[in-house]
Amino acid sequence: MKKISILGSTGSIGQNALNIVEMHRDKLNVTALAGGNNISLLAEQIKKFKPEIAVVLNEKRAKEIETLLKGDRKTEIVFGDKGYAAAAAWDEADIVLLAIVGAAGLLPAIAAIDAGKTIALANKETLVMAGDIIMARAKKNKVDIFPVDSEHSAIFQCIEGNRKKDIKKIFLTASGGPFRNKTIEDFKNIRPEHALSHPTWNMGNKITIDSATMMNKGFEVIEAVHLFGLDYCDIEVLVHPESIVHSMVGFKDGSVIAQMGVPDMKIAISYALLWPERLFSGLDFPDFTSIKRLCFEKPDTIKFPCLKFAFEACRHGGTLPAVMNAANEIAVNGFLEYRLDFPGIFRIINKCMELHKTINSPELSDILEADLWARQQAENLISSYNRHEADPDWPRFTSKNQRF
């Protein structure tokens, strides 16, 4: 029996993980849950899975969930940063599923690693912001980190049984998102409701927007560099609209091994939770006769400059990836709140990266300061952008004036 702490239990990854637990009660048990603002769903999860501890965002939410539970519980309710750290380092947990979205996942990840917990990592931002620090800390504490992203899980599965020195290239696949066939001119008319409609994957709002801008794929490039100890030059992104090939690994003898499956996160989640065992997920194989063909194409980095931003951030390293991530979080939030148009997401990120003075070998405190600086800068830039959208100082991302 493996005991799990799930941080981000009310999100898409967390809910899928709990579905897997339900299918395999003889192998998996939930000992800690952490949600955010979806109190009604978290209360249902607590009643069903009876964790020892549950975490919410703040004291107000803690009182709300205690009212919903009406005292019919043995679960300890905690809140805030200390609460998330407690759930991440919970004594009874064998493995921590880190599925909190955004920079909020970084400190719980460190708490889990310092407590010696095995990590199932679904939070890209942890490695984007502080990949060098996280991986060094994991090595020091002899902590295994198993990837939950479908692409990184695919790479992990493809390299098993092979020697790292034989790897020549990683092919990281991307669906292309909902706007793959739209022109740059169309982008100014994109609204949040359009961007939240992903063609193949069912994800949370923030990740869905990141997929639409291809920032999600940029994050995954940086994540792959840290997870697999690769150079960013050895990673190639391929747009694969069918989302059947989740990624591929090329070896020096010319062989390419691919991992395939239907686009459903249960495969990657279950593999991370009980590696090396494979659990029944309730999913069928792809129907290859109906698919008929698998297509691959190069990403358009003129239309989707976030991918270039990520490669540039990866090349520079230091605090620049954390700044890129923070600017993206604020810009995406601005777009979802109708305070920023879709092209504005690219421009805000670009501006923040241009203005930042990178610290090359940062401590954790430097990364946290850079994160805060970028958030404040991005908020200010959103106001400036809305007032002066026609300002020629704002890059328009054509082949002539693209920054990166």
Side-chain angles (χ1 to χ4, degrees), residues 17-298:
L18 289 172
N19 288 337
I20 292 166
V21 171
E22 278 197 280
M23 287 189 280
H24 298 281
R25 291 275 195 170
D26 59 325
K27 295 180 181 293
L28 298 168
N29 182 51
V30 176
T31 191
L33 291 175
N37 286 310
N38 194 341
I39 300 303
S40 58
L41 177 56
L42 182 59
E44 292 175 13
Q45 293 174 345
I46 292 169
K47 291 176 183 177
K48 180 179 288 188
F49 295 98
K50 298 177 173 57
E52 295 169 332
I53 185 174
V55 190
V56 292
L57 192 62
N58 52 42
E59 187 174 7
K60 178 183 176 183
R61 291 288 186 245
K63 290 178 180 177
E64 289 175 2
I65 201 163
E66 286 173 347
T67 301
L68 287 173
L69 294 170
K70 297 177 181 177
D72 183 21
R73 60 174 174 81
K74 294 181 180 179
T75 302
E76 179 185 357
I77 305 297
V78 295
F79 60 88
D81 292 342
K82 290 183 179 179
Y84 289 107
W90 195 244
D91 284 345
E92 296 299 313
D94 300 308
I95 186 168
V96 179
L97 173 59
L98 287 167
I100 297 173
V101 176
L106 176 58
L107 294 181
I110 290 174
I113 290 169
D114 288 349
K117 304 299 180 182
T118 298
I119 307 294
L121 185 64
N123 175 276
K124 298 177 178 67
E125 292 85 354
T126 291
L127 291 182
V128 170
M129 293 176 68
D132 290 337
I133 291 173
I134 290 294
M135 297 309 292
R137 214 150 177 160
K139 183 177 181 180
K140 178 182 177 182
N141 288 281
K142 299 180 181 179
V143 165
D144 289 322
I145 299 179
F146 295 110
V148 171
D149 276 338
S150 63
E151 295 82 359
H152 301 95
S153 177
I155 295 165
F156 179 62
Q157 293 178 57
C158 289
I159 65 177
E160 281 201 286
N162 292 286
R163 300 182 303 179
K164 180 183 173 182
K165 67 180 183 179
D166 292 334
I167 299 172
K168 187 176 181 180
K169 196 169 206 178
I170 296 294
F171 298 93
L172 201 62
T173 58
S175 69
F179 308 130
R180 180 172 62 93
N181 295 319
K182 286 191 176 293
T183 65
I184 291 178
E185 289 69 29
D186 294 328
F187 280 10
K188 63 180 179 294
N189 298 317
I190 291 172
R191 296 169 63 84
E193 53 268 30
H194 305 143
L196 290 171
S197 180
H198 195 278
T200 50
W201 290 96
N202 181 20
M203 305 174 289
N205 286 359
K206 195 264 183 184
I207 298 175
T208 303
I209 301 302
D210 285 346
S211 179
T213 64
M214 291 202 74
M215 179 57 88
N216 193 51
K217 202 55 49 181
F219 286 163
E220 289 172 6
V221 169
I222 300 173
E223 193 177 3
V225 166
H226 293 296
L227 280 172
F228 305 111
L230 300 169
D231 190 283
Y232 71 93
C233 296
D234 297 326
I235 300 174
E236 181 178 352
V237 174
L238 295 173
V239 174
H240 171 53
E242 295 82 7
S243 296
I244 296 298
V245 176
H246 298 305
S247 276
M248 302 177 283
V249 177
F251 296 90
K252 65 184 182 183
D253 64 353
S255 299
V256 178
I257 297 178
Q259 188 269 338
M260 295 186 284
V262 295
D264 192 297
M265 287 304 299
K266 292 187 186 71
I267 297 172
I269 296 168
S270 63
Y271 197 65
L273 292 180
L274 273 175
W275 176 89
E277 185 177 357
R278 290 185 183 270
L279 297 178
F280 173 73
S281 66
L283 300 173
D284 291 326
F285 299 120
D287 183 354
F288 291 104
T289 56
S290 66
I291 296 170
K292 297 187 184 304
R293 63 179 183 175
L294 300 174
C295 302
F296 301 92
E297 59 192 54
K298 289 184 180 295

